[in-house]
Amino acid sequence: MLVELRVKNFGIIEDITWSPGEGLNVITGETGAGKSLVIDAVESLLSGRIGDEQIRHQASEANLEGVFYLNPASRLKIAAMLAENGLELEDDSLIIRLESKLAGRSVLRLNGSAISRSVLSRLCPYLIDIHGQSEHLSLLNKSFHLDMLDGYAHTTDERTEFARLAHELNSLQRQLSELEKTNREAVRQQEFLRFQADEIEAANLAEGEEENLLSKRQVMASTEKLKTLTHQSLEYLCSGQNGGVLADLNQAMQSLRKIAEIDSSLKDTADEVESVYFSLEESCRSVQNYNRGLDFNPAELEDIENRLALIHSLERKYGRDIPQILAFLAKTKTELDNITSFAEKTDKLSNAITEFKSRLGDMASGLSKHRKEAALNLEKAVQAELADLNMYQVIFKVNFQTQADENGLPVSGQTLEFSSSGTDLVEFFVSTNPGEPLRPLNKIASTGEISRITLALKSAASRLDDIPVMIFDEIDIGVGGRSGDMLGRKLWKLSQGHQLISVSHLPQIAAYADHHFYVSKTELNGRINSRIARLDSEEHLAELSVMLSGSQTGEKSLENARELLKKASIFKETSPEQPELNMPLSGK
């Protein structure tokens, strides 16, 4: 509920603090005193905009502030919405403040934190529903019509489940789309990938092969030099005129053996020399074998060069060495395997989507059936409410439409477009005069008609509408006393489930007020200032008398005012029990 509204330098309002109460709050006053200006202030606060022309003359800025108490239902929704925008709701109160400087920028704050207009616009539908010349008319926005119908039809849970499954379907469809896109790209790559894999596999590479080939090539390219060096080594080791080092060592070994036979102290030395001799002899054989293998083979060198050229070609394409080339081959084979499995995955996902659509189509059909059954009852209920408001000529209908979509849901032999709320496109239609065609509710020109039709709708569905605050700005335009009494009753009954604020000219409506506020204007130092005051019981009676008889009041007009109050009191006492307000009745 709206606990307090503070307005400073707005229009002809210099500074007011207004605290409406629970139930029905009625605002009255002379024409031009600023009654609707209070509602304009609420509208500006909720829009997050104050025009320069709305800032009080000679003031540099205007300030608006609304303090709200949130009932449990509103608190849960608002907390969730704010959380999506990185904001936190700490308790059950909400303070919206708007500061606007002349020819400057506006500053919006929510519980002290700066917010954007987009966040405020998402917040407003959970706080206040304004009916009058306002952009906040929820029923002029057809997106709210389905919400109201689902509340009336008790199909909200059904719709929530449908939305959950529709979200899953959308997720599957996104997966399929991504898979098909990947598949198309992969198929285009398949031939190229196969060529790459075949080229690498045909090379039959082995790790370490390149190093071995490079070593062989280096040896073969140095054959003549190696032969020369080998011959020199053999000459010194075991050839030459005297048999080389090996022959000299053999002579030394023989001499040491003879010495050791005489003096055993040199036996170890003789053994060591003998070991060196045999080791050197083995080395000579190795060098001789190496020398015999140094025969140059041009064909083998050419094969090595060709093999290395192939390896280097593959390295330029697929990796800097053979291990990287083989890793590329493994990756390519995996991609080829995935491509061959795409068709199977796509078919499986397509079948799942088809089954999902069939299930959702059945749910959408059932949901639509329940809505249409409830729509008939809502039409009857609204027609009854309109009759009570002496609007017998007005016809109210709930219009259902669907949109064909080849990618939609199968419903009763058709394929229909769907959203998270089903396949139904719902909009309220009315005809305000006999012979006139039914038209969308937002196409009605008369503000008074819109407000009274809205009141009929809200009254018919009042137990289901959880918007905490409802404002009706001059709903009584063009209404006489008899219809005014019925309007008063409707407004009071509606206020038993909502905080309701009504700007009115009719005493028949004001008589039903739980809280009566009077707007007046005064002149001080050549400036007009608008003020609002709560009327006590005596002031309430006096204001009703003035509203009935004008300024020429007397005992007769007071008696008539008492009759109005008595009639209203009897109705309140004998009216069927209404749902309790979802708000504390004190302390806030």
Side-chain angles (χ1 to χ4, degrees):
M1 65 177 284
L2 177 61
V3 177
E4 190 171 78
L5 176 70
R6 298 164 188 158
V7 183
K8 186 174 182 180
N9 294 328
F10 185 83
I12 61 172
I13 298 175
E14 181 180 12
D15 193 355
I16 65 169
T17 298
W18 177 48
S19 300
E22 309 90 19
L24 177 57
N25 298 266
V26 176
I27 301 174
T28 65
E30 294 182 6
T31 301
K35 300 185 298 299
S36 293
L37 197 58
V38 176
I39 308 305
D40 291 342
V42 176
E43 290 180 299
S44 293
L45 179 63
L46 297 183
S47 70
R49 290 183 176 90
I50 299 176
D52 284 353
E53 73 282 357
Q54 293 176 299
I55 298 178
R56 184 172 170 81
H57 181 56
Q58 296 182 344
S60 60
E61 66 177 279
N63 298 323
L64 302 174
E65 184 176 277
V67 181
F68 297 85
Y69 167 77
L70 305 179
N71 61 41
S74 296
R75 189 187 191 286
L76 287 174
K77 294 178 181 178
I78 290 174
M81 188 279 291
L82 292 179
E84 293 174 3
N85 292 274
L87 299 169
E88 188 174 339
L89 188 63
E90 296 182 355
D91 53 33
D92 296 332
S93 63
L94 203 65
I95 301 175
I96 302 173
R97 182 173 176 82
L98 172 61
E99 302 170 0
S100 184
K101 296 184 181 297
L102 194 64
R105 62 188 297 268
S106 298
V107 178
L108 264 174
R109 298 187 185 280
L110 178 69
N111 287 352
S113 299
I115 60 170
S116 65
R117 288 195 184 103
S118 61
V119 172
L120 181 63
S121 66
R122 292 187 60 195
L123 176 64
C124 289
Y126 299 109
L127 291 176
I128 294 184
D129 205 1
I130 302 178
H131 301 277
Q133 297 179 359
S134 163
E135 63 183 42
H136 299 288
L137 274 168
S138 64
L139 283 174
L140 296 190
N141 185 344
K142 64 181 181 182
S143 64
F144 287 95
H145 296 183
L146 185 58
D147 293 340
M148 176 175 280
L149 179 60
D150 278 331
Y152 188 83
H154 302 289
T155 50
T156 302
D157 290 343
E158 196 175 346
R159 173 176 165 177
T160 300
E161 177 62 12
F162 180 92
R164 185 184 69 80
L165 295 177
H167 177 75
E168 291 187 23
L169 173 59
N170 288 333
S171 176
L172 290 177
Q173 289 176 320
R174 284 194 299 272
Q175 291 177 40
L176 179 60
S177 177
E178 292 170 1
L179 184 62
E180 289 175 338
K181 179 182 177 181
T182 304
N183 188 25
R184 287 192 297 270
E185 294 173 352
V187 169
R188 287 195 294 269
Q189 291 291 320
Q190 187 175 26
E191 185 176 347
F192 182 60
L193 291 172
R194 174 51 58 195
F195 167 80
Q196 291 178 318
D198 290 345
E199 185 178 32
I200 297 172
E201 287 181 324
N204 196 25
L205 301 174
E207 291 194 24
E209 178 184 2
E210 184 178 13
E211 290 78 5
N212 292 334
L213 289 172
L214 288 170
S215 178
K216 285 183 179 180
R217 185 179 70 175
Q218 184 178 6
V219 169
M220 296 183 76
S222 306
T223 299
E224 293 303 323
K225 183 177 182 181
L226 290 173
K227 280 187 175 184
T228 299
L229 292 172
T230 302
H231 284 306
Q232 289 178 354
S233 299
L234 290 173
E235 186 77 18
Y236 290 125
L237 286 173
C238 52
S239 299
Q241 294 180 352
N242 299 319
V245 174
L246 192 61
D248 292 341
L249 189 60
N250 183 48
Q251 291 295 325
M253 179 184 68
Q254 296 300 328
S255 299
L256 287 170
R257 283 295 179 195
K258 291 178 182 179
I259 294 172
E261 290 175 357
I262 300 172
D263 185 355
S264 61
S265 63
L266 282 181
K267 184 178 182 306
D268 290 342
T269 303
D271 290 342
E272 289 176 0
V273 172
E274 184 178 5
S275 175
V276 171
Y277 173 80
F278 288 122
S279 176
L280 184 60
E281 187 179 44
E282 182 63 30
S283 297
C284 282
R285 282 194 293 269
S286 296
V287 174
Q288 289 169 345
N289 290 334
Y290 178 76
N291 182 56
R292 285 192 291 272
L294 284 176
D295 293 335
F296 179 72
N297 186 342
E300 184 180 359
L301 179 59
E302 184 178 0
D303 289 343
I304 289 174
E305 293 290 358
N306 290 338
R307 184 65 175 171
L308 285 172
L310 173 62
I311 293 173
H312 292 161
S313 174
L314 294 175
E315 286 175 342
R316 285 193 297 272
K317 296 178 182 178
Y318 308 120
R320 67 171 180 267
D321 52 30
I322 288 178
Q324 281 199 358
I325 294 172
L326 295 176
F328 183 89
L329 174 62
K331 177 176 176 291
T332 301
K333 284 184 173 181
T334 299
E335 291 180 12
L336 286 168
D337 290 340
N338 288 338
I339 291 173
T340 57
S341 67
F342 271 135
E344 180 182 347
K345 292 178 181 178
T346 300
D347 289 342
K348 185 177 180 181
L349 198 52
S350 295
N351 292 335
I353 288 173
T354 300
E355 293 177 5
F356 228 102
K357 282 187 173 182
S358 178
R359 180 182 175 188
L360 275 172
D362 291 341
M363 288 186 66
S365 178
L367 183 56
S368 183
K369 178 184 177 183
H370 296 153
R371 285 169 173 166
K372 288 175 180 177
E373 291 172 351
L376 294 175
N377 293 328
L378 179 61
E379 289 170 355
K380 292 177 182 177
V382 172
Q383 290 295 160
E385 296 289 341
L386 289 170
D388 286 345
L389 295 171
N390 289 330
M391 299 181 74
Y392 300 97
Q393 78 283 5
V394 176
I395 299 174
F396 171 81
K397 289 290 182 184
V398 180
N399 180 266
F400 283 83
Q401 289 186 342
T402 56
Q403 185 71 41
D405 183 354
E406 62 180 10
N407 296 315
L409 302 181
V411 181
S412 302
Q414 298 177 289
T415 306
L416 302 179
E417 182 181 65
F418 70 99
S419 67
S420 60
S421 58
T423 56
D424 294 318
L425 301 174
V426 171
E427 187 172 5
F428 296 157
F429 275 50
V430 294
S431 170
T432 56
N433 292 295
E436 292 292 324
L438 288 162
R439 293 188 299 166
L441 185 61
N442 61 6
K443 300 298 182 182
I444 299 174
S446 167
T447 299
E449 284 181 326
I450 291 176
S451 293
R452 290 192 288 279
I453 292 170
T454 298
L455 178 58
L457 266 166
K458 293 289 186 178
S459 296
S462 61
R463 292 176 181 270
L464 307 167
D465 195 338
D466 59 2
I467 298 177
V469 184
M470 299 173 66
I471 297 177
F472 288 89
D473 187 7
E474 299 188 354
I475 193 176
D476 51 11
I477 293 176
V479 174
R482 184 173 300 177
S483 296
D485 182 69
M486 182 55 70
L487 266 178
R489 294 185 180 192
K490 295 291 184 187
L491 290 170
W492 182 83
K493 290 185 70 173
L494 191 56
S495 74
Q496 301 310 289
H498 311 265
Q499 182 190 41
L500 199 143
I501 299 165
S502 176
V503 176
S504 178
H505 295 281
L506 287 180
Q508 288 82 1
I509 291 178
Y512 286 88
D514 296 309
H515 311 279
H516 190 165
F517 297 89
Y518 183 74
V519 176
S520 61
K521 60 182 179 180
T522 59
E523 182 177 349
L524 181 63
N525 298 325
R527 298 294 306 279
I528 297 296
N529 187 30
S530 181
R531 299 185 178 279
I532 185 170
R534 183 191 298 267
L535 302 183
D536 60 24
S537 57
E538 291 299 321
E539 292 169 334
H540 178 39
L541 176 65
E543 172 62 8
L544 290 180
S545 175
V546 171
M547 293 175 75
L548 282 167
S549 305
S551 58
Q552 302 299 321
T553 60
E555 186 57 37
K556 181 62 176 177
S557 63
L558 286 172
E559 185 61 30
N560 290 336
R562 291 189 186 95
E563 285 297 320
L564 282 181
L565 287 174
K566 181 178 180 181
K567 186 176 181 180
S569 178
I570 292 173
F571 174 79
K572 291 180 180 181
E573 292 174 358
T574 59
S575 181
E577 184 178 350
Q578 299 296 316
E580 294 181 0
L581 291 171
N582 290 321
M583 58 185 78
L585 298 181
S586 61
K588 288 284 183 182

